[in-house]
Amino acid sequence: MTEQDRWQQHNDQYLTTALSWLRLRLGWKVVQHRNANRQADSLPEVLAKIDQVKVDQAAQAMAQAAATEPPPALVLLGRRLGLSPFEQDILLLCAAMELDVHVPTLCANLPPKQPQPTFALALALFDQPAWDALSADRPLRYWQLIQIHQPAAQSLTTSPLQIDERIVNYLKGLNNLDDRLAPFLMPLEADLDAVELPPSQQAMAETVLGQMTRPSGHGVLPVVQLLGTDTLSQQLVARQVAEALGRYLYRLPLELLPAPVSDLESIARLWQRESLLLPLALYLDAQNADLSAATAGQLSVLQRFLARSDGLIFLATLDQQRNLGRAAIALEVRKPTAAEQEQAWAMALGDAAEHSPALLAAQFSLNLAEIQQVTESVFAETAEITTPLHDRLWDGCLAVSRPRLDALAQPIEPKATWDDIVLPGEELELLHQLADQVSQRHQVYNQWGFRRRMNRGLGINALFAGDSGTGKTMAAEVIANDLRLNLYRIDLSAVVSKFIGETEKNLRRLFDAAEDGGAVLFFDEADALFGKRSEVKDSHDRYANIEINYLLQRMESYRGLAILATNLKSSLDTAFLRRLRFVINFSFPGLPEREAIWQGAFPPETPTEGLDYEHLARFNLTGGNIHNVVLNAAFQAAKAQTAVTMPLVLAAVRTELKKCDRPINELDFCDPSDLNSQNSEAYPLARR
């Protein structure tokens, strides 16, 4: 028999003894009442055999059963919730209504002649009665152990009392979480059980444990604020602390807490009661909550809940919160270090690791559960897959990190390669250097020791400056494609806000989501965000400068690859130029570059006939303009069911020049061999 089974057997015996004592006491009171009123004895003859001696003997047996360790549930409940002996007797009387069929009949034979327990009956029945037992601040009502059904015009003392169902189950030895908390609480994910904390996070957990075991003058545990963006690492640290203290950890999303004061008060008291009845800890998830002082909505709900709750509570949030209504400690929970991630990859991959752990840890910043998820999914793939293991692991890391950014930026599928982009030699060499620095970060930062000397700026930033259509977006695609990373264009409409402080919040969410390293951030039209700071003349200038200052700091601390593109380089704040690793100017393409662009503009599958690329290169068009011309000519050819010919291309060139308000030289639209012919009809379609 286990310890739990022995305790359950002892608790059942105690409850049987307590109910027997209560029946005898009620019966003895009934006998006294009937004798005092000289009523005929219509009750069973057993009542005639009840006397004070039997009641005292039952009370003594009950006291002996209660003195054992561990104590029975009713005694333990009294200790944990601060019940007086009289309040415990009231609770036993209410529980007896659910557990003993004789009690309603006995109650009905005592004033106030009701088959339910009342406060008046308890005052007359038990020793050491106290009038404040049913006051709002005493345990019976504060902890919602009983409910008072008081109809209109009926006194408090004669109103029926009913015990809470959760408490009845507790007295019987069934100690399960209250059903009313089930819609709000949920156990943490089961997959956390297979993950062990790395040394850096284990040190965080030990720091929290040291704070929890330190004596407090008020006897109330402080709220543990777990700061950061990595939810799973926060949960792992919280679980480690809860397990060390012997508690079950439940998660409560802050947005589920009700705003009405009465509902919130009820939930807070129920949770506090459960934390006293069960070894529980609460993981209060506020990652998606708006806790700014400007809104004050969810912040006030959080403050009120914490002020009225006790026990071990973890608060997971981005930033440290002050004035929570009770003492708090703050701890920033970071992801495992690069070395710990590399070690985790090596352990997960085993003999198949080769060079993958170092490369994956250098590019991606994942927690241990995500590393485990990627390796398990890759190893679970069928054996027929011929893709190298490292490439499949890389793709798995991209898939894990991608969803966080999809809601904040526009994904671009990078299709362009080095063969597709046409740039002068110097600019092309700078692009290759940019890609090489991203791919070689592990060796330089980790193996060659530069990480120890740098506390920020581990990422790589670049500025692509040039006129529209000169290849800035294509260059970003080429870089992302070469590095095999996701490419995201930042949507300024979703980032910039007219409300003070909102732009910084959106930018922080964006950079935090991209920190995992699986994405290239492409800020198109960057001058709209990274403009020059101005002289402060009013509050608008001050807050605009704050946004730019935040961007300066965040760009410097960002560890990934961020590319800024602008048509107006002179509009950028000069402080950005110092923080940029590369500045690449995309100039208007010259004649050789334009000819090369024309030669590679049509896909191999497109039927072409008689195209004069040297002649087409004479038109002053950028790569973006040429792309538009090629696409328009292809559609015209498809409609005519012919190959793409020179007249079709020239007609599309004429349309593009008109769209851009460029001057048109009619001689450029004639056959070069017939320029001396005044009525040349060599390219008739080009004249439309």
Side-chain angles (χ1 to χ4, degrees):
M1 181 181 295
T2 64
E3 290 291 333
Q4 177 62 30
D5 292 336
R6 280 192 288 269
W7 178 87
Q8 184 65 55
Q9 185 179 30
H10 168 64
N11 186 71
D12 292 340
Q13 293 173 352
Y14 169 81
L15 196 56
T16 301
T17 303
L19 291 175
S20 176
W21 168 79
L22 182 63
R23 284 196 306 270
L24 288 172
R25 193 169 185 89
L26 281 170
W28 176 238
K29 286 293 182 181
V30 170
V31 170
Q32 290 180 320
H33 176 71
R34 299 180 72 84
N35 291 337
N37 291 276
R38 298 181 179 180
Q39 296 177 352
D41 190 3
S42 59
L43 292 177
E45 295 181 357
V46 68
L47 289 180
K49 301 178 181 179
I50 297 177
D51 55 25
Q52 186 65 48
V53 176
K54 292 183 178 180
V55 175
D56 293 341
Q57 290 175 347
Q60 185 178 3
M62 178 180 170
Q64 291 176 350
T68 59
E69 291 293 336
L74 179 60
V75 177
L76 189 61
L77 182 72
R79 293 179 184 178
R80 291 180 174 177
L81 302 185
L83 296 171
S84 67
F86 177 60
E87 290 166 338
Q88 290 188 45
D89 291 340
I90 294 178
L91 200 61
L92 177 63
L93 175 62
C94 295
M97 291 294 299
E98 310 291 338
L99 304 175
D100 194 324
V101 295
H102 301 293
V103 171
T105 303
L106 295 172
C107 290
N109 282 272
L110 291 171
K113 302 293 185 179
Q114 294 186 26
Q116 301 97 7
T118 63
F119 190 43
L121 176 60
L123 289 171
L125 183 63
F126 300 120
D127 299 330
Q128 301 177 349
W131 179 258
D132 65 343
L134 291 191
S135 62
D137 60 344
R138 290 297 300 168
L140 288 178
R141 289 182 60 188
Y142 183 87
W143 297 118
Q144 303 179 18
L145 305 181
I146 62 173
Q147 291 85 40
I148 304 174
H149 301 285
Q150 186 176 7
Q154 186 168 349
S155 65
L156 174 66
T157 58
T158 59
S159 298
L161 306 179
Q162 184 179 13
I163 190 172
D164 186 71
E165 179 184 356
R166 164 75 171 97
I167 302 304
V168 176
N169 293 333
Y170 182 85
L171 297 181
K172 287 290 293 181
L174 303 177
N175 197 9
N176 298 321
L177 190 67
D178 196 308
D179 290 341
R180 286 166 290 186
L181 292 177
F184 304 94
L185 300 179
M186 59 199 76
L188 285 183
E189 290 78 358
D191 56 2
L192 295 180
D193 297 336
V195 181
E196 295 184 0
L197 286 182
S200 60
Q201 294 180 353
Q202 181 66 41
M204 300 178 192
E206 292 175 356
T207 300
V208 176
L209 283 172
Q211 295 284 345
M212 294 295 102
T213 56
R214 185 177 302 169
S216 173
H218 301 286
V220 178
L221 294 177
V223 177
V224 182
Q225 295 191 62
L226 301 176
L227 313 179
T229 59
D230 186 13
T231 299
L232 196 137
S233 292
Q234 291 171 328
Q235 293 177 355
L236 285 173
V237 172
R239 189 201 64 172
Q240 181 77 5
V241 175
E243 287 185 351
L245 297 175
R247 297 171 181 257
Y248 300 104
L249 189 60
Y250 280 85
R251 174 177 173 266
L252 170 60
L254 180 60
E255 54 268 23
L256 292 185
L257 284 178
V261 175
S262 59
D263 296 340
L264 182 63
E265 186 78 20
S266 178
I267 295 299
R269 290 194 186 184
L270 283 177
W271 164 254
Q272 190 174 359
R273 189 181 78 178
E274 290 302 300
S275 65
L276 294 173
L277 300 182
L278 284 168
L280 299 180
L282 182 63
Y283 181 87
L284 194 55
D285 193 345
Q287 286 284 8
N288 299 322
D290 184 4
L291 299 179
S292 62
T295 56
Q298 290 184 314
L299 179 59
S300 62
V301 171
L302 173 63
Q303 291 171 336
R304 190 172 186 87
F305 178 80
L306 292 178
R308 285 156 176 76
S309 301
D310 200 353
L312 180 58
I313 297 181
F314 301 92
L315 175 62
T317 182
L318 294 176
D319 300 309
Q320 183 176 358
Q321 302 298 319
R322 305 185 186 277
N323 301 323
L324 292 176
R326 54 185 283 195
I329 59 175
L331 186 70
E332 185 175 359
V333 180
R334 302 180 183 89
K335 289 188 176 181
T337 64
E340 291 170 345
Q341 292 183 44
E342 182 177 349
Q343 183 180 7
W345 280 114
M347 293 180 61
L349 296 175
D351 296 336
E354 297 182 350
H355 61 286
S356 295
L359 296 178
L360 294 175
Q363 179 59 49
F364 301 97
S365 180
L366 305 180
N367 55 49
L368 300 189
E370 291 169 335
I371 293 175
Q372 186 180 57
Q373 174 187 343
V374 171
T375 53
E376 288 178 353
S377 62
V378 168
F379 287 144
E381 294 173 349
T382 57
E384 289 77 10
I385 297 178
T386 58
T387 306
L389 175 63
H390 177 75
D391 292 344
R392 286 183 285 147
L393 291 169
W394 190 280
D395 293 338
C397 293
L398 290 177
V400 167
S401 59
R402 176 165 184 164
R404 304 186 187 96
L405 269 170
D406 282 347
L408 303 172
Q410 176 188 358
I412 299 176
E413 183 179 357
K415 297 181 179 180
T417 64
W418 292 110
D419 296 332
D420 298 323
I421 192 167
V422 178
L423 289 174
E426 183 178 353
E427 284 73 17
L428 193 61
E429 176 61 24
L430 285 175
L431 282 181
H432 278 286
Q433 289 183 23
L434 174 60
D436 292 340
Q437 287 202 13
V438 176
S439 61
Q440 299 301 321
R441 285 185 301 176
H442 172 71
Q443 181 174 350
V444 174
Y445 288 153
N446 297 333
Q447 296 182 359
W448 289 3
F450 276 84
R451 181 183 292 272
R452 294 194 304 270
R453 296 190 175 187
M454 301 170 62
N455 58 359
R456 58 174 55 192
L458 295 178
I460 298 175
N461 307 320
L463 173 66
F464 293 173
D467 294 335
S468 178
T470 52
K472 300 186 293 296
T473 302
M474 175 179 282
E477 286 189 40
V478 170
I479 296 294
N481 202 350
D482 180 66
L483 298 172
R484 298 186 66 234
L485 298 175
N486 296 319
L487 177 63
Y488 285 89
R489 178 190 283 118
I490 308 308
D491 185 3
L492 296 183
S493 65
V495 172
V496 179
S497 174
K498 65 179 181 180
F499 298 105
I500 294 174
E502 288 299 316
T503 300
E504 292 91 327
K505 287 183 182 179
N506 295 335
L507 286 169
R508 175 174 181 175
R509 291 174 56 217
L510 178 69
F511 280 110
D512 288 344
E515 282 287 356
D516 290 344
V520 177
L521 297 183
F522 182 62
F523 291 86
D524 202 3
E525 307 296 340
D527 48 280
L529 272 177
F530 300 84
K532 291 182 178 179
R533 286 168 287 189
S534 60
E535 180 183 354
V536 177
K537 297 180 179 179
D538 54 28
S539 61
H540 296 285
D541 295 334
R542 181 163 62 89
Y543 285 111
N545 288 345
I546 290 175
E547 291 179 3
I548 297 175
N549 292 336
Y550 175 78
L551 272 170
L552 288 170
Q553 298 171 9
R554 199 63 181 86
M555 283 287 293
E556 192 172 13
S557 62
Y558 177 58
R559 65 178 298 274
L561 172 59
I563 299 175
L564 284 63
T566 180
N567 302 337
L568 302 170
K569 178 182 175 182
S570 59
S571 298
L572 294 177
D573 195 289
T574 55
F576 276 115
L577 298 179
R578 180 184 66 82
R579 291 169 166 84
L580 295 172
R581 189 81 61 87
F582 291 90
V583 176
I584 303 177
N585 294 308
F586 288 72
S587 58
F588 200 95
L591 189 64
E593 287 80 19
R594 291 199 298 270
E595 183 174 354
I597 294 173
W598 277 109
Q599 290 174 350
F602 289 97
E605 299 84 0
T606 304
T608 60
E609 182 179 328
L611 298 183
D612 187 349
Y613 296 116
E614 182 179 359
H615 181 74
L616 292 173
R618 297 176 183 176
F619 295 101
N620 288 327
L621 297 173
T622 64
N625 298 136
I626 293 173
H627 173 76
N628 293 337
V629 169
V630 167
L631 200 59
N632 290 335
F635 275 106
Q636 289 295 328
K639 178 181 178 182
Q641 296 297 309
T642 64
V644 178
T645 60
M646 195 68 177
L648 292 175
V649 175
L650 289 175
V653 169
R654 181 186 291 273
T655 301
E656 188 70 15
L657 290 174
K658 287 182 178 180
K659 182 186 75 173
C660 299
D661 292 329
R662 301 273 184 85
I664 296 176
N665 185 358
E666 294 296 340
L667 294 178
D668 292 335
F669 293 87
C670 297
D671 189 338
S673 63
D674 294 332
L675 287 177
N676 295 327
S677 175
Q678 186 175 1
N679 298 319
S680 173
E681 297 293 337
Y683 298 139
L685 288 177
R687 299 180 183 275
R688 294 182 180 177

